[in-house]
Amino acid sequence: MTALLSLAGLTRRFGGLTAVNALGFDIGEGEVVGLLGPNGSGKTTALNMISGALKPSGGQIVLRGEPIGGLSAHRIARKGVARTFQLVRVLPSLTVLENVLAGLAFRGEPLWGEVAQGEADVLLRKVGLEGRAGEAAEQLTYIDQKRVELARALAARPALLLLDEWLAGLNPTELRTGIDLIAHLRDTGTTILLVEHVMEAVRALCGRCIVMNAGTKIADGETSAVLREPDVVRAYLGTAHA
Amino acid sequence: MKTALGFAVAAIVFAVLALAPFYLDAYGIGLMIGMTGYVTLASAWGLFSGRTGYVSLATVAFFGMGAYTVAVLNETLPYPVILLVAGAIGLLVAAVVGFSTLRLAGVYFVIFTFGLAELIRQLVTWFETTVTGTLGRYIFLPIGPEHIYWQLLVLCAATLLITWWVGRSRLGLALRVISDDEVVASHIGIDIARTKLALFAVSAVIITLVGAIQAPRWTYVEPAIVFNPTVSFLTLIMALLGGASRLWGPALGAIPLFLLFEWLSANFPNHYSILLGLLFIVIVFLLPRGVAGFAEDLMRRRPGGTPAPAKPAPTPLRSEGGEARP
Ligand SMILES: Nc1ncnc2c1ncn2[C@@H]1O[C@H](COP(=O)(O)OP(=O)(O)O)[C@@H](O)[C@H]1O
Ligand SMILES: [Mg+2]
């Protein structure tokens, strides 16, 4: 089986700091993989390199057999990599509907006009925003902004979806809803790399986990086994986060 | 329905304007030419700068190139071909300049575009004095003022039509996404550099054509006349006054300001520049969002108008982790 995404020796330095150090792993088609690690361990930097927001200092990123490391973000997006952001980023001056239309209009196979409207309706229903199309995105509550962001990412019909702490900051009820939503995506075959601190979500969603500490991968395997590994426990106990 | 009505009204307005030469004297037609020229310049400026936030002072660079192309070619090529050549030159220069400068941020772009206009003026001057040996050129084209006016009117209508079309196209959505958040824009597949370049090129071609169409009016042309930086500043002030990002905004600013400048330069020829500067300051101070934006605010405040959207409270549930922003 060839991997959907394959990282090898992926490295990013900021001045003297090596934020991601020789990171390597494969993700198969349809897998939902958790990427864990204490704050500052390099998870977002890794996502930024995969999505093209940052250029790698070294190493390879291969998507479906094609090297994409160092390409500009819009090229990578058009190849089917979609993402959400750790600090939610809706397009504030656009409506909910326009946010999703923007996700459809510039993907690899762009969708525009009436077809796009229909597709946007489907996506809004999928994330629980039916009937909210005309609302201004910047006036939505936090969870609804997260829904918009997810719908916009799904609009790309992504081969690979990168979620950066998409569940952070939700209250328990919202968290349940959020987990169910991602579970639904998993069950319909979306490949997801999920950066997450909420252990409940990781256990519920990810069959496999990768753990980073100080830029380096320290564990990779079946979720419950990984979470019991002494190195992982130590990495987490050593920081404020748990 | 609203669109159809808007088109009908615009068509009537332009039809009435097209009749102007039949009931105006020579001075009146001259005034209409100047006004239509500035409405077109300001609208074309707004098409790029109002939608990307890049403040360009290159207006006169393109305007002057258009005029100069006509001056150089007026005895060798048929007039319509000259206009095509002028448009092509504008496009080429815009592509080169845009490609190399749209990566510059904010104030660097402003300075660059101002420098570009000066550079082109100096280059033309140098070329004329050292290579051809004559600084000025004469334009003898059998084109009456009313024909210049009609051509400008068509260009003006085309500019507004293009602006309207951009507003509803994918390109327009791309521009709104870019002005909201460039990081999101690139991550949903928008080629930011190409989008800005496309708009810069369209705007520059229109501006070049304004210069080319107006050129036959001057009869005598030299670099200091056609590359006068005041054109860039006036265009900018007009578009800002009216509201550079709206369809009709630049026109709303250009008409009153053009008339005011005409009056000022006729009555206070010596203090004209000072008054211009003062006016610029007052406009930016009083109407930061332009007349169109100001009118919208007024409508919102009126009981019958659409209510102004309340500013949302900052979202309370932000995660604490710092995000690496590219
Ligand atoms: N753009 C940047 N410039 C400089 N340092 C950065 C940048 N982005 C991240 N870092 C640093 O890289 C390290 C990893 O950060 P990050 O990838 O955001 O960690 P995580 O997402 O795992 O919390 C941190 O020390 C952070 O300060
Ligand atoms: Mg992070």
Side-chain angles (χ1 to χ4, degrees):
Chain A
M1 190 199 79
T2 65
L4 174 80
L5 178 77
S6 177
L7 309 183
L10 190 62
T11 301
R12 171 71 201 209
R13 283 179 285 272
F14 295 110
L17 171 82
T18 305
V20 173
N21 191 3
L23 181 65
F25 59 80
D26 286 2
I27 297 180
E29 197 93 43
E31 248 191 312
V32 175
V33 177
L35 182 57
L36 317 186
N39 268 337
S41 57
K43 306 178 299 291
T44 297
T45 304
L47 289 202
N48 280 341
M49 286 190 283
I50 298 169
S51 69
L54 284 174
K55 307 256 180 267
S57 310
Q60 280 89 46
I61 307 170
V62 176
L63 182 75
R64 288 178 165 153
E66 186 187 353
I68 59 165
L71 291 187
S72 45
H74 71 268
R75 289 238 165 75
I76 294 176
R78 288 180 193 175
K79 290 183 190 300
V81 177
R83 69 172 293 178
T84 63
F85 296 87
Q86 184 169 342
L87 300 173
V88 66
R89 290 180 106 136
V90 292
L91 298 163
S93 76
L94 273 58
T95 64
V96 169
L97 175 66
E98 286 168 336
N99 263 270
V100 182
L101 289 177
L104 293 164
F106 308 103
R107 62 187 204 187
E109 296 162 35
L111 221 54
W112 183 246
E114 248 166 62
V115 209
Q117 299 271 345
E119 183 66 23
D121 283 345
V122 172
L123 287 163
L124 288 178
R125 210 169 317 125
K126 193 179 246 177
V127 299
L129 284 174
E130 57 269 54
R132 313 278 300 276
E135 291 179 32
E138 72 174 341
Q139 300 196 40
L140 298 177
T141 59
Y142 184 64
I143 170 99
D144 286 342
Q145 292 199 359
K146 293 219 146 200
R147 291 182 207 260
V148 168
E149 207 189 24
L150 183 62
R152 190 180 67 212
L154 291 176
R157 225 191 294 130
L160 174 67
L161 179 61
L162 308 171
L163 299 179
D164 197 353
E165 303 198 24
W166 191 75
L167 295 163
L170 302 186
N171 69 34
T173 330
E174 293 168 341
L175 185 63
R176 238 356 305 155
T177 319
I179 292 177
D180 290 346
L181 199 55
I182 299 175
H184 176 74
L185 297 178
R186 175 195 60 196
D187 297 341
T188 47
T190 313
T191 311
I192 302 173
L193 180 58
L194 182 86
V195 171
E196 202 47 74
H197 282 305
V198 184
M199 283 307 152
E200 182 192 346
V202 174
R203 286 183 213 277
L205 295 167
C206 309
R208 178 184 151 207
C209 274
I210 294 159
V211 185
M212 291 178 72
N213 191 24
T216 311
K217 182 169 97 169
I218 58 167
D220 183 350
E222 195 268 320
T223 299
S224 53
V226 160
L227 294 180
R228 278 195 306 269
E229 280 185 31
D231 277 354
V232 174
V233 175
R234 214 173 306 122
Y236 266 89
L237 288 180
T239 71
H241 246 291
Chain B
M1 193 57 228
K2 232 182 102 195
T3 317
L5 190 71
F7 266 98
V9 171
I12 292 169
V13 169
F14 272 96
V16 169
L17 285 173
L19 296 176
F22 297 114
Y23 47 82
L24 289 179
D25 58 6
Y27 175 75
I29 296 179
L31 216 55
M32 291 303 283
I33 289 176
M35 195 153 76
T36 313
Y38 269 112
V39 168
T40 313
L41 286 179
S43 299
W45 188 90
L47 177 58
F48 171 69
S49 295
R51 279 158 184 78
T52 61
Y54 281 84
V55 174
S56 164
L57 286 175
T59 307
V60 82
F62 292 101
F63 178 86
M65 280 191 293
Y68 233 85
T69 307
V70 176
V72 172
L73 297 176
N74 79 90
E75 281 166 0
T76 47
L77 288 176
Y79 180 66
V81 179
I82 300 177
L83 287 189
L84 280 180
V85 172
I89 290 175
L91 182 64
L92 194 77
V93 174
V96 173
V97 168
F99 193 76
S100 52
T101 60
L102 286 174
R103 280 155 233 274
L104 296 178
V107 70
Y108 297 102
F109 183 81
V110 185
I111 294 167
F112 181 92
T113 53
F114 183 69
L116 176 76
E118 286 300 299
L119 177 74
I120 290 180
R121 163 159 70 162
Q122 298 302 335
L123 275 179
V124 172
T125 309
W126 173 83
F127 185 84
E128 295 284 66
T129 47
T130 59
V131 181
T132 58
T134 52
L135 191 54
R137 282 173 183 270
Y138 290 90
I139 300 176
F140 296 117
L141 281 171
I143 297 171
E146 68 281 5
H147 286 101
I148 293 177
Y149 172 65
W150 284 323
Q151 287 175 37
L152 277 178
L153 206 58
V154 169
L155 184 63
C156 182
T159 305
L160 291 170
L161 198 66
I162 291 170
T163 308
W164 171 82
W165 174 82
V166 164
R168 339 177 347 128
S169 68
R170 270 174 81 215
L171 177 60
L173 181 60
L175 289 164
R176 290 172 62 204
V177 174
I178 291 170
S179 75
D180 256 15
D181 190 333
E182 293 206 353
V183 173
V184 170
S186 62
H187 280 92
I188 59 176
I190 294 174
D191 186 338
I192 296 175
R194 228 184 69 180
T195 305
K196 289 175 181 169
L197 185 61
L199 215 63
F200 184 62
V202 172
S203 161
V205 168
I206 296 169
I207 291 170
T208 310
L209 288 176
V210 175
I213 291 173
Q214 287 197 356
R217 250 184 94 61
W218 284 311
T219 319
Y220 175 77
V221 157
E222 62 172 52
I225 300 176
V226 295
F227 291 103
N228 179 356
T230 309
V231 174
S232 298
F233 287 105
L234 283 189
T235 302
L236 179 145
I237 298 171
M238 289 167 171
L240 287 184
L241 171 73
S245 62
R246 325 282 160 136
L247 176 58
W248 294 102
L252 281 178
I255 295 167
L257 279 189
F258 173 77
L259 294 173
L260 183 66
F261 293 145
E262 278 292 307
W263 183 76
L264 283 178
S265 53
N267 293 286
F268 307 95
N270 299 325
H271 304 100
Y272 172 74
S273 319
I274 297 173
L275 293 169
L276 195 74
L278 279 178
L279 198 72
F280 192 12
I281 292 166
V282 170
I283 287 170
V284 172
F285 194 71
L286 289 183
L287 298 172
R289 290 178 54 230
V291 173
F294 181 69
E296 265 174 27
D297 291 348
L298 277 185
M299 301 273 275
R300 289 219 182 94
R301 251 179 260 139
R302 245 185 20 208
T306 21
K311 274 266 161 261
T315 35
L317 291 167
R318 300 269 175 179
S319 83
E320 292 301 308
E323 173 162 21
R325 298 249 162 130

